[in-house]
Amino acid sequence: MSLEVHIQEVVQSLYGAESAPDLQETRKEFEGDLTLVVFPFVRMAKKAPEAVAEEIGAVLKERGAISNYNVVKGFLNMVLDRGDYLEAVKKFAQDEQLGLPAAGSKGRYIVEYSSPNTNKPLHLGHIRNNLLGYSVSEILKANGVDVVKVQIINDRGIHICKSMLAWLEHGNGETPESAGIKGDHLVGKYYVKFDQVYKAEIAELMAAGQSEDEAKKNAPSLVKAQEMLLKWEQGDEEVVALWKKMNSWVYAGFEETYKKLGVGFDKNYYESETYVLGKDDIVKGLENGVFYQKEDGSVWIDLEGEGLDHKLVLRKDGTSVYMTQDIGTAIQRFKDFEAQGMTYVVGNEQDYHFKVLFIILDKLGYDWAKKLHHLSYGMVDLPSGKMKSREGTVVDADDLIDSMVADAGEISRELGKIEGLGEQEQAELFETLGLGALKYFILKVDPKKRMLFNPAESIDFTGNTGPFIQYAYARIQSLQQKADNGLQVDWSAVELNEDEVNLIKGLLQFPETVESAANAFSPALLANYTYELVKKYNGFYQNNSILKADNENTIAFRLTLSRLVGEVIKKSMNCLGIQVPNRM
């Protein structure tokens, strides 16, 4: 019987309460392995917290569920039998799943992330978005969920036409091949060119006497871009052909960046196809009283009852707004994949939008609307002067990735981490370390927080960094290669010391940490757990001889613990989208 069940039975018998126990790892300054928070039972017991903790502890010890206990205010610190830890880690060692649920056993879930515009390359903000989306997907998978990764590509609108117009007027037929640059960078170059020309036109019109607002509206470049958008919407063959050509350049560029980042998608949705969705759903909602129509013909929803305001869902001319499209696209996705829920990985500037979207879908009667989630994340900043972008305004994703890999190579050479490695192995190691540093540094931070990404700090081989964890994994692989793999553990003859118990505690927390990270949509929980596990392993490694232990059984047992730590590190880091090297 598990300790949780013991506690539930004791609390039921003493106070008639049915409650899942709140268990935490005991703080280092107190004796104990697990701590029970007893405050939830105080009112039912009608006793002081200390008395409740003492009463529960005495019964648990009498039942043999714990070997000893102590009370600190409303906290019951429990010492577990070392035999229980040994039995638990034996079971853990024999489980190929490392205690995780079977794949796909918890239904299907959709995760949307990335969702770029096709008028410019990906930037640092996209990196955080992609890393969060991919990692959350992998953590959900590890927790037994069948995950569908999707993105919606914003491939239509005035911003796309601006790049197209600038290329037509200033490109002289330039292509990614002739220019020798990635397609997304080429298209982004002409988006910047449009802006330069547009600003010059505004200045000229203002000098001629127009107000700033008039000049912005009347600038020839903007007028031509608007005319081009109208032609696109009408299906003009030349405009559509140009749109397809330039978008194909961008898609190829995006794919290259995604490959560098190690992320991907099961299905791409395109706004040029989805922007027509949602209108029929608005009409149905209007008939059912979910929406109301104003005298001018526009359609709205009243959300004052939810503490919000009135929201437009269809313009007076019958054209859709972004909310209309998002309603229709959400409905289409659940038709496509028959999922139980979905999370949108989108920056926190869209908090209000998603709050409204989820309420509307719920009012339209979709059961799955209650399982929609917005993974709202903060912006990423860089220390001033650390990185220069190609456009001078945002940090280009490709530039940052290349810079991280180069820095990893430089530091690895300085620290002597490449001895015995050939050129190809070195290049692979630098990429693994550079990307590991970038990904881990971003993912270890709570997604909700705005963060400062410091490239130099992220690639340090000490402290809470990706390379620190990657080095621990490589050390374990080296240890395993030197060992006699024929050794078998006689579990009945193992006597645990405190370093081993501490390490076992860390290993056994892995399944519940994955579950917590999945439920909270927070890779940070898994990242920081992995760091703490590595610190425990390093302490164990420094204090205990492994290959030169007193007897073969101790050697076999400590090698088994090392192997398990390595497997958990690899699984955890893979959930974060990070590779681990076998040699360093």
Coordinates of all heavy atoms in Angstrom, one line a residue, residues 36-85:
L36 N 4.0 16.0 5.3 CA 2.5 16.2 5.1 C 2.0 17.5 5.7 O 2.3 17.8 6.8 CB 1.8 15.0 5.8 CG 0.2 15.1 5.8 CD1 -0.3 14.9 4.4 CD2 -0.4 14.1 6.7
V37 N 1.3 18.3 4.9 CA 0.8 19.5 5.3 C -0.6 19.2 6.0 O -1.5 18.7 5.3 CB 0.6 20.5 4.2 CG1 0.0 21.8 4.7 CG2 1.9 20.8 3.4
V38 N -0.7 19.4 7.3 CA -1.9 19.0 8.0 C -3.0 20.0 8.1 O -4.1 19.7 8.6 CB -1.6 18.4 9.4 CG1 -0.6 17.3 9.3 CG2 -1.0 19.5 10.3
F39 N -2.7 21.3 7.7 CA -3.7 22.3 7.9 C -5.1 22.0 7.3 O -6.1 22.4 7.9 CB -3.2 23.7 7.3 CG -2.0 24.2 8.1 CD1 -0.7 24.1 7.5 CD2 -2.1 24.7 9.3 CE1 0.4 24.6 8.2 CE2 -1.0 25.2 10.0 CZ 0.2 25.2 9.5
P40 N -5.2 21.3 6.2 CA -6.6 21.0 5.7 C -7.4 20.2 6.6 O -8.6 20.2 6.5 CB -6.3 20.2 4.4 CG -4.9 20.6 4.0 CD -4.2 20.9 5.3
F41 N -6.8 19.5 7.6 CA -7.6 18.6 8.5 C -7.9 19.3 9.9 O -8.6 18.7 10.7 CB -6.8 17.3 8.8 CG -6.2 16.7 7.5 CD1 -4.8 16.5 7.4 CD2 -7.0 16.4 6.4 CE1 -4.3 16.0 6.2 CE2 -6.5 15.9 5.3 CZ -5.1 15.7 5.2
V42 N -7.3 20.4 10.1 CA -7.4 21.1 11.4 C -8.8 21.4 11.8 O -9.3 21.1 13.0 CB -6.5 22.4 11.5 CG1 -6.8 23.2 12.7 CG2 -5.1 22.0 11.4
R43 N -9.6 22.0 10.9 CA -11.0 22.3 11.2 C -11.8 21.1 11.6 O -12.6 21.1 12.5 CB -11.6 23.1 10.0 CG -13.1 23.5 10.3 CD -13.6 24.3 9.1 NE -13.0 25.5 9.0 CZ -13.3 26.4 8.0 NH1 -14.3 26.1 7.1 NH2 -12.7 27.6 7.9
M44 N -11.6 20.0 10.8 CA -12.4 18.8 11.1 C -12.0 18.1 12.4 O -12.8 17.6 13.1 CB -12.2 17.8 9.9 CG -12.9 18.2 8.6 SD -12.3 17.3 7.2 CE -10.8 18.1 6.8
A45 N -10.7 18.2 12.7 CA -10.2 17.6 13.9 C -10.5 18.4 15.2 O -10.5 17.9 16.3 CB -8.7 17.4 13.8
K46 N -10.7 19.8 14.9 CA -11.0 20.7 16.0 C -9.8 20.6 17.1 O -10.1 20.6 18.3 CB -12.3 20.4 16.7 CG -13.5 20.6 15.8 CD -14.8 20.3 16.4 CE -16.0 20.4 15.4 NZ -17.3 20.1 16.0
K47 N -8.6 20.6 16.6 CA -7.4 20.6 17.4 C -6.4 21.5 16.8 O -6.5 21.9 15.6 CB -6.9 19.1 17.5 CG -7.8 18.1 18.2 CD -7.2 16.7 18.1 CE -8.1 15.7 18.8 NZ -7.6 14.3 18.7
A48 N -5.3 21.8 17.6 CA -4.2 22.6 17.1 C -3.5 21.8 16.0 O -3.4 20.6 16.0 CB -3.3 22.9 18.2
P49 N -2.9 22.5 15.0 CA -2.1 21.9 13.9 C -1.1 20.9 14.5 O -0.9 19.8 13.9 CB -1.5 23.0 13.2 CG -2.4 24.2 13.5 CD -2.9 24.0 14.8
E50 N -0.3 21.3 15.5 CA 0.7 20.4 16.0 C 0.1 19.1 16.6 O 0.7 18.0 16.4 CB 1.5 21.1 17.2 CG 2.3 22.2 16.7 CD 1.5 23.6 16.7 OE1 0.3 23.5 16.7 OE2 2.2 24.6 16.6
A51 N -1.1 19.2 17.2 CA -1.7 18.0 17.8 C -2.2 17.1 16.7 O -2.1 15.8 16.7 CB -2.9 18.4 18.7
V52 N -2.7 17.7 15.6 CA -3.2 16.9 14.4 C -2.0 16.1 13.8 O -2.1 14.9 13.5 CB -3.9 17.8 13.4 CG1 -4.2 17.0 12.1 CG2 -5.1 18.4 14.0
A53 N -0.9 16.8 13.6 CA 0.3 16.2 13.0 C 0.8 15.1 13.9 O 1.1 14.0 13.4 CB 1.4 17.3 12.8
E54 N 0.8 15.3 15.2 CA 1.3 14.3 16.1 C 0.4 13.0 16.1 O 0.9 11.9 16.0 CB 1.3 14.9 17.5 CG 1.9 13.9 18.6 CD 3.4 13.6 18.4 OE1 4.2 14.6 18.1 OE2 3.8 12.5 18.5
E55 N -0.9 13.3 16.0 CA -1.8 12.2 16.0 C -1.7 11.3 14.7 O -1.7 10.1 14.8 CB -3.3 12.7 16.1 CG -4.3 11.7 16.5 CD -5.6 12.4 16.9 OE1 -6.0 13.4 16.2 OE2 -6.2 12.1 17.9
I56 N -1.6 12.0 13.6 CA -1.5 11.3 12.3 C -0.2 10.5 12.2 O -0.1 9.3 11.8 CB -1.6 12.2 11.1 CG1 -3.0 12.9 11.0 CG2 -1.3 11.5 9.8 CD1 -3.2 14.0 10.0
G57 N 0.9 11.2 12.7 CA 2.2 10.5 12.7 C 2.3 9.3 13.5 O 2.9 8.3 13.1
A58 N 1.7 9.3 14.7 CA 1.7 8.2 15.6 C 1.0 7.0 15.0 O 1.5 5.8 15.0 CB 1.0 8.5 16.9
V59 N -0.2 7.2 14.3 CA -0.9 6.1 13.7 C -0.2 5.6 12.5 O -0.1 4.3 12.3 CB -2.3 6.6 13.3 CG1 -3.1 5.4 12.6 CG2 -3.1 7.0 14.5
L60 N 0.4 6.4 11.7 CA 1.2 6.0 10.5 C 2.4 5.1 11.0 O 2.7 4.1 10.3 CB 1.7 7.2 9.7 CG 0.6 7.9 8.9 CD1 1.2 9.2 8.3 CD2 0.1 7.0 7.8
K61 N 3.1 5.5 12.1 CA 4.2 4.7 12.5 C 3.7 3.4 13.1 O 4.4 2.3 12.8 CB 5.0 5.5 13.6 CG 6.2 4.8 14.1 CD 7.0 5.7 15.1 CE 8.3 4.9 15.5 NZ 9.0 5.7 16.5
E62 N 2.6 3.4 13.8 CA 2.1 2.2 14.3 C 1.7 1.2 13.2 O 1.9 0.0 13.3 CB 0.8 2.5 15.2 CG 0.2 1.3 15.9 CD -1.0 1.7 16.7 OE1 -1.1 2.8 17.1 OE2 -1.9 0.9 16.8
R63 N 1.2 1.7 12.1 CA 0.8 0.9 11.0 C 2.0 0.4 10.1 O 1.9 -0.4 9.2 CB -0.1 1.7 10.0 CG -1.5 1.9 10.6 CD -2.3 2.9 9.7 NE -2.6 2.3 8.4 CZ -3.8 2.3 7.8 NH1 -4.8 2.9 8.4 NH2 -4.0 1.8 6.6
G64 N 3.2 0.9 10.4 CA 4.4 0.6 9.7 C 4.5 1.3 8.4 O 5.4 0.9 7.5
A65 N 3.7 2.3 8.2 CA 3.8 3.1 6.9 C 5.0 4.0 6.9 O 5.6 4.3 5.8 CB 2.6 4.0 6.7
I66 N 5.5 4.4 8.1 CA 6.7 5.2 8.2 C 7.6 4.7 9.3 O 7.1 4.0 10.2 CB 6.4 6.7 8.4 CG1 5.6 6.9 9.7 CG2 5.7 7.3 7.3 CD1 5.3 8.3 10.1
S67 N 8.9 4.9 9.3 CA 9.7 4.4 10.4 C 9.9 5.4 11.5 O 10.2 5.0 12.6 CB 11.1 4.0 9.8 OG 11.8 5.2 9.3
N68 N 9.7 6.7 11.2 CA 9.8 7.7 12.3 C 9.1 9.0 11.8 O 8.8 9.1 10.6 CB 11.2 7.9 12.7 CG 11.3 8.4 14.2 OD1 10.3 8.7 14.8 ND2 12.5 8.4 14.7
Y69 N 9.0 10.0 12.7 CA 8.4 11.3 12.3 C 8.8 12.3 13.3 O 9.2 12.0 14.4 CB 6.9 11.2 12.2 CG 6.2 11.0 13.5 CD1 5.7 12.1 14.2 CD2 6.0 9.7 14.0 CE1 5.0 11.9 15.4 CE2 5.3 9.5 15.2 CZ 4.8 10.6 15.9 OH 4.2 10.4 17.1
N70 N 8.6 13.6 12.9 CA 8.7 14.7 13.8 C 7.8 15.8 13.3 O 7.4 15.8 12.1 CB 10.2 15.3 13.8 CG 10.7 15.8 12.5 OD1 10.4 16.9 12.1 ND2 11.4 14.9 11.8
V71 N 7.4 16.7 14.2 CA 6.4 17.7 13.9 C 7.0 19.1 14.0 O 7.6 19.4 15.0 CB 5.2 17.5 14.9 CG1 4.2 18.7 14.6 CG2 4.5 16.2 14.7
V72 N 6.8 19.9 13.0 CA 7.1 21.3 13.0 C 5.9 22.1 12.7 O 5.5 22.1 11.5 CB 8.3 21.6 12.0 CG1 8.6 23.1 12.1 CG2 9.5 20.7 12.3
K73 N 5.3 22.7 13.7 CA 4.0 23.4 13.6 C 3.0 22.5 12.9 O 2.6 21.5 13.4 CB 4.3 24.7 12.9 CG 5.2 25.7 13.6 CD 5.4 27.0 12.9 CE 6.3 27.9 13.8 NZ 6.6 29.2 13.2
G74 N 2.5 23.0 11.7 CA 1.5 22.2 11.0 C 2.0 21.3 10.0 O 1.3 20.9 9.0
F75 N 3.2 20.9 10.1 CA 3.9 20.0 9.1 C 4.4 18.7 9.8 O 5.1 18.8 10.8 CB 5.1 20.7 8.5 CG 4.6 22.0 7.8 CD1 4.7 23.2 8.4 CD2 4.2 22.0 6.5 CE1 4.3 24.4 7.8 CE2 3.8 23.1 5.8 CZ 3.9 24.3 6.5
L76 N 4.0 17.6 9.2 CA 4.4 16.3 9.7 C 5.6 15.8 8.8 O 5.3 15.4 7.7 CB 3.3 15.3 9.7 CG 3.6 13.8 10.0 CD1 4.1 13.7 11.4 CD2 2.3 13.0 9.8
N77 N 6.8 15.8 9.3 CA 8.0 15.3 8.6 C 8.1 13.8 8.8 O 8.3 13.4 10.0 CB 9.2 16.0 9.1 CG 9.1 17.5 8.8 OD1 8.6 18.0 7.8 ND2 9.6 18.3 9.8
M78 N 8.0 13.0 7.8 CA 8.0 11.6 7.9 C 9.3 10.9 7.4 O 9.8 11.3 6.3 CB 6.8 11.0 7.2 CG 5.5 11.5 7.7 SD 4.1 11.1 6.6 CE 4.4 12.2 5.2
V79 N 9.9 10.0 8.1 CA 11.0 9.3 7.7 C 10.5 7.9 7.2 O 9.8 7.2 7.9 CB 12.0 9.0 8.9 CG1 13.2 8.2 8.4 CG2 12.5 10.4 9.4
L80 N 10.9 7.6 5.9 CA 10.4 6.4 5.3 C 11.4 5.3 5.5 O 12.6 5.5 5.7 CB 10.2 6.6 3.8 CG 9.2 7.7 3.4 CD1 9.0 7.7 1.9 CD2 7.9 7.7 4.2
D81 N 10.9 4.0 5.5 CA 11.8 2.9 5.7 C 12.7 2.8 4.4 O 12.2 2.9 3.3 CB 10.9 1.6 5.8 CG 11.8 0.4 6.1 OD1 12.4 -0.1 5.2 OD2 11.8 0.0 7.3
R82 N 14.0 2.6 4.6 CA 14.9 2.6 3.5 C 14.6 1.4 2.6 O 14.9 1.5 1.4 CB 16.4 2.5 4.1 CG 16.8 3.7 4.8 CD 16.6 5.0 4.0 NE 17.0 6.2 4.5 CZ 16.2 7.2 4.8 NH1 14.9 7.1 4.6 NH2 16.7 8.3 5.3
G83 N 14.0 0.4 3.1 CA 13.6 -0.8 2.3 C 12.6 -0.4 1.3 O 12.5 -0.9 0.1
D84 N 11.7 0.6 1.6 CA 10.7 1.1 0.7 C 11.4 1.8 -0.5 O 10.9 1.6 -1.6 CB 9.8 2.1 1.4 CG 8.9 1.4 2.4 OD1 8.7 0.1 2.4 OD2 8.3 2.1 3.3
Y85 N 12.4 2.6 -0.2 CA 13.1 3.3 -1.3 C 13.8 2.3 -2.2 O 13.8 2.4 -3.4 CB 14.2 4.2 -0.7 CG 13.6 5.5 -0.3 CD1 13.6 6.0 1.0 CD2 13.0 6.4 -1.3 CE1 13.1 7.2 1.4 CE2 12.5 7.6 -0.9 CZ 12.5 8.0 0.4 OH 12.0 9.2 0.8

